[in-house]
Amino acid sequence: MHGQWSSRWTFILAATGAAVGLGNIWKFPYLTGQNGGSAFVLVYVVCVAALGIPLMMAEILLGRRGRSTPIRTMQVLAEETRAAQWWQIIGWSGTLAGMLILSYYSVIGGWTLAYIFKSAVGTFSGASGQFAADTFEHFVESPTGLFFWHTLFMILTMGVVAGGVQGGLEKAVQILMPTLFFLLLLMVGYSMTTGFFGKGLAFLFTPDFSKLSGASMLSAMGQAFFSLSLGMGTIMIYGSYVPKDTSIASTSIIIALADTLVALLAGMAIFPIVFANNLEPGSGPGLIFQTLPVAFGNMNGGLAFGSLFFILLLVAAWTSSISLIEPFVTWLIETFGLSRVKAAVYSGVATWLLGLGTVLSFNWGAKVKFFGLTFFELLDYITSNLMLPLGGILIALFAGWLMKVESTKAELRIMNPGAFVAWQVLVRYIAPIAVFIVLLNSLGIL
Ligand code: PHE
C-alpha cells in the first residue's frame, strides 16, 4: 500500500529537492541584505545546526511512525501515545501554513517564469546594475503582468498535483538540481571577476554583532525553518516513506548541509555583484532579479546561461510549491472524498485568489500596511516567523516528551548513547526554549 523510497539516496535527493527552492536562492540573499549581512548569516547557520537538524530528525521520526498526512499522522500518534487529541493542531497549522506560503511563493515563482523569457530574448545583454534594477521596478509596477505569471505558475503547480505525477518531476529533479548547483558555482566564478568578491565575502562572513536586533534574529530563525521546510509537516510526509533501516540522523545532517550550501553559494554569487554595481544590499525581494541579470548580461554565453538558470530556479520552486500544497490537497481528498483533480482545483483556486493580495502588494497596494507591513510581508511574517517555529516547537515537544523513549530510540537507532541524549536534550529543552526566547525578544518582551 504505502510506498517506500527505493534507497536512502532517493530520499535524500527528494527531500533536498523539496527543501531547496526560492527560499535558498531568492529569500536567503535578500533577507541577509536587509538584516545587515554576516551576523544574520551566523544566527541562521546556528539555527540550522542546533534547531534545524534535531527538529528534522523529530519530524522524519514522527512521519515514519505515523505514515500519513500531517493531520492524520498526529491523530494516530496521539492515540498511540495516549496524548490529547489537540496535538493534531500541528497538522492543522502546518496544512494552513503551506497554503498561505504557496499563495505568495507562486507570485515569486511567476517572476522566475517571466525572467526566463526576459533573459532568453536578450533584455539583459550588456546590462548595468542600474538597468537591471530599473527593469525589475518597472516589472513589478504592473499588476497585470504579475497577475499573468502568478496564474501560470499556479497552473503548473496544480497540474502536477492534479495528475498525481510528482514522481516524474522528482526524478527530473535528481538531474536538474545538481545542474543548478553547478550553475551557481559558475555564478560565484563570475562574481570572483568583479573585483568585489572579497567585499561580498566579508559582508557575509565577518560577524558584525552591532547589526543584530531581536527582529533580525527572529527572521534568521524563521528563515532556517522556511528553508529546511520544517515545522509544517512536509518533512513528515517525506519521512513516512523512509525505509526502516535508514539512519535518520545522518540523513538529516546531509539534507541540512546541502540546503545551507546552496543558500551560501547564492549569497556568494549575489553580493559581489551588488557591491560592484553600487546596488543596495537591503533592496528587498527583488534582489536576485536585480543582480544576477547583470552577471548574465556581461558574461560569455550569458544569454543561454541566464535562461537556463531561471529555468532551473523555476524547477526548484516548482517542486517546493508542490510539497507546500500537497498536505492540503490530500486532506481535502481524505475528508470530503473529493477526487484528486477536484481537490487540486479547489485548493489551487483558493490559494491563487489569496495570491492576488501579494500581487497587489508590490504595486497599487504597496502603501496598504498592516502593523507596518505590506500584505506580502505580513503573510511571510506570520508563516515563516510564527507558524513554522511554533509548529516546530510542538513537534519537538511531542517527539521529546510524549513519544516513548523506547520508540524514539528504536526509530532513530543512534548507536552512540551520548548522541541520543544530546538529541533528547535539544528537542526537549533547547529547541523550545530557544524559539520562545527569540520570539519574546523580537516582541520586545525579553
Ligand atoms: N523550503 C522551501 C524553499 O526553500 C519552501 C518550503 C517551505 C517548502 C515549507 C515546503 C515547506 O523554497
Side-chain angles (χ1 to χ4, degrees), residues 166-363:
Q166 278 90 318
L169 191 63
E170 261 149 28
K171 287 226 174 59
V173 167
Q174 298 180 12
I175 307 163
L176 297 176
M177 286 304 102
T179 319
L180 177 63
F181 185 78
F182 282 111
L183 273 192
L184 266 181
L185 285 181
L186 189 85
M187 303 301 302
V188 175
Y190 170 84
S191 281
M192 285 177 178
T193 67
T194 57
F196 284 80
F197 193 62
K199 184 150 185 219
L201 285 191
F203 181 73
L204 285 169
F205 300 118
T206 316
D208 174 359
F209 292 102
S210 67
K211 300 254 170 63
L212 212 53
S213 65
S216 61
M217 293 214 342
L218 178 64
S219 122
M221 183 177 81
Q223 172 62 8
F225 280 89
F226 184 92
S227 190
L228 296 173
S229 312
L230 286 178
M232 56 159 281
T234 338
I235 295 286
M236 242 183 234
I237 299 196
Y238 278 78
S240 72
Y241 300 99
V242 174
K244 279 277 171 223
D245 55 356
T246 299
S247 155
I248 293 183
S250 56
T251 307
S252 303
I253 294 173
I254 295 174
I255 298 171
L257 279 178
D259 189 78
T260 306
L261 185 62
V262 172
L264 293 179
L265 282 177
M268 286 160 66
I270 287 165
F271 286 106
I273 304 179
V274 168
F275 296 122
N277 290 278
N278 263 325
L279 294 168
E280 171 51 49
S283 69
L287 191 66
I288 64 162
F289 299 96
Q290 295 165 328
T291 48
L292 294 184
V294 181
F296 298 129
N298 294 290
M299 68 199 218
N300 290 331
L303 207 70
F305 283 131
S307 322
L308 184 62
F309 178 85
F310 285 113
I311 290 174
L312 295 172
L313 184 56
L314 171 73
V315 176
W318 201 358
T319 48
S320 298
S321 66
I322 290 162
S323 70
L324 280 164
I325 201 66
E326 188 61 33
F328 191 56
V329 170
T330 325
W331 174 76
L332 285 178
I333 297 175
E334 284 178 358
T335 316
F336 301 104
L338 294 182
S339 67
R340 182 159 261 281
V341 174
K342 270 205 180 127
V345 171
Y346 292 160
S347 49
V349 170
T351 314
W352 172 83
L353 274 174
L354 189 64
L356 298 182
T358 293
V359 163
L360 294 177
S361 75
F362 287 101
N363 33 65

